[in-house]
Amino acid sequence: MDRPVTTLFMLMSVDGKISTGSTDEMDVDKDFPKIDGVKEGLHQYYEIEQTTDLWAFNTGRVQAKMGVNQKEMPEKTPVSFVILDNHHLTEQGVRYFCALSKEFVLITSNKSHPAFGVEEQNLHMIFQEQISICEALKCLKRDYGCERLTVQSGGMVNSLFLREKLLDFVDIVVAPVLIGGKETVTLIDGPSLMSESELFKVGVLKLIECSTLQDSYVRLRYKVIS
């Protein structure tokens, strides 16, 4: 295969929400620790996260929500980060990921992105006139040796991975909570994956593991078969 093996790894509510609301101010990482009945088992998700691939894919929008543009410089980790971003990361945010990452690859179609003004040995740029996740993944494997990639992005980008058949596995930790709200981000957003002409051709999964965790959490692992 000419791209990395990919796994979508996410924390979601029982009704499939990956945020606690429709605005960027609302976020599971900020809000779940405050909810009785949810906060008690939340640590399990982060413990599992520590066992995922050493290459991680995310978006600038998600990371900006988590405050990376204001955070102090972190300690270096063995994880290499790949961020898709056009305008959410500031220069501070870029330097944060350079400090955090073994290798940091930024994918952008913005010629004026602040990352172009940062000089760090572990910063690599993939510039595309039009974003192609498929071509970016090929570049990650060919040029940077990325063999396996964990995807933790937003619902719209998750849907692009699935629509372009770029997901191999789906690994979900389900929190015991219902969030609701038709505008709240879900695991896979965007237009419906199904149509009369393409019914059952996209997003079919085979369950390979189901684990009951503590405090009413559940872990579901699937192989994507179409």
Coordinates of all heavy atoms in Angstrom, one line a residue, residues 44 64 87 109 115 126 129-130 132 142 158 190 209 220:
Q44 N -9.7 6.5 31.1 CA -9.5 5.3 30.3 C -9.3 5.7 28.8 O -8.4 5.1 28.2 CB -10.7 4.4 30.4 CG -10.9 3.9 31.8 CD -12.3 3.2 32.0 OE1 -12.3 2.0 32.1 NE2 -13.3 4.0 32.0
A64 N -6.7 24.4 17.9 CA -6.9 25.8 18.4 C -8.0 25.8 19.4 O -7.9 26.5 20.4 CB -7.3 26.7 17.2
H87 N -5.6 28.3 8.6 CA -5.6 29.6 9.3 C -5.8 29.6 10.8 O -5.9 30.6 11.4 CB -6.6 30.6 8.6 CG -8.0 30.0 8.6 ND1 -8.8 30.1 9.7 CD2 -8.7 29.4 7.6 CE1 -10.0 29.5 9.4 NE2 -9.9 29.1 8.2
S109 N -3.0 24.7 2.2 CA -3.1 25.4 0.9 C -2.9 26.9 1.0 O -3.2 27.6 0.0 CB -4.4 25.0 0.2 OG -5.5 25.5 1.0
A115 N 3.5 29.1 9.5 CA 4.5 28.0 9.5 C 5.7 28.3 8.6 O 6.8 27.9 8.8 CB 3.9 26.7 9.3
I126 N 3.8 20.4 3.7 CA 3.2 19.8 2.5 C 2.2 20.9 2.0 O 1.1 21.1 2.5 CB 2.5 18.5 2.7 CG1 3.4 17.4 3.2 CG2 1.7 18.0 1.5 CD1 2.7 16.1 3.6
E129 N -2.1 23.2 -3.7 CA -3.0 24.3 -4.2 C -4.5 23.9 -3.8 O -5.2 24.8 -3.4 CB -2.9 24.4 -5.7 CG -1.6 25.0 -6.2 CD -1.5 26.5 -6.0 OE1 -2.5 27.1 -5.6 OE2 -0.4 27.0 -6.1
Q130 N -4.8 22.7 -3.9 CA -6.1 22.1 -3.4 C -5.8 20.9 -2.6 O -5.0 20.0 -3.0 CB -7.0 21.8 -4.6 CG -7.5 22.9 -5.4 CD -8.5 22.5 -6.5 OE1 -8.5 21.4 -6.9 NE2 -9.4 23.4 -6.8
S132 N -5.6 17.6 -0.9 CA -5.8 16.2 -1.3 C -5.3 15.4 -0.1 O -4.0 15.2 0.0 CB -5.2 15.8 -2.6 OG -5.3 14.4 -2.8
R142 N 6.0 8.1 1.8 CA 7.1 8.1 0.9 C 8.3 8.9 1.4 O 9.4 8.5 1.4 CB 6.7 8.6 -0.5 CG 7.8 8.7 -1.5 CD 7.3 9.4 -2.8 NE 7.0 10.8 -2.6 CZ 5.8 11.3 -2.7 NH1 4.7 10.5 -3.1 NH2 5.5 12.6 -2.5
N158 N -13.0 13.8 9.1 CA -13.2 12.4 9.2 C -14.0 11.8 8.0 O -13.8 10.7 7.5 CB -14.0 12.0 10.5 CG -13.2 12.3 11.7 OD1 -12.0 12.4 11.7 ND2 -13.8 12.3 12.9
G190 N -21.0 16.1 7.4 CA -21.1 16.3 5.9 C -22.4 15.7 5.4 O -23.2 15.1 6.1
E209 N -13.5 -6.1 18.0 CA -13.3 -6.1 19.4 C -14.4 -5.2 20.1 O -14.6 -4.1 19.6 CB -11.9 -5.6 19.9 CG -11.7 -5.7 21.4 CD -10.3 -5.1 21.8 OE1 -9.4 -5.0 20.9 OE2 -10.2 -4.8 23.0
L220 N -15.1 0.1 21.2 CA -15.5 -0.6 20.0 C -14.4 -0.5 18.9 O -14.0 0.7 18.6 CB -16.8 -0.1 19.4 CG -18.0 -0.1 20.4 CD1 -19.2 0.7 19.8 CD2 -18.4 -1.5 20.7

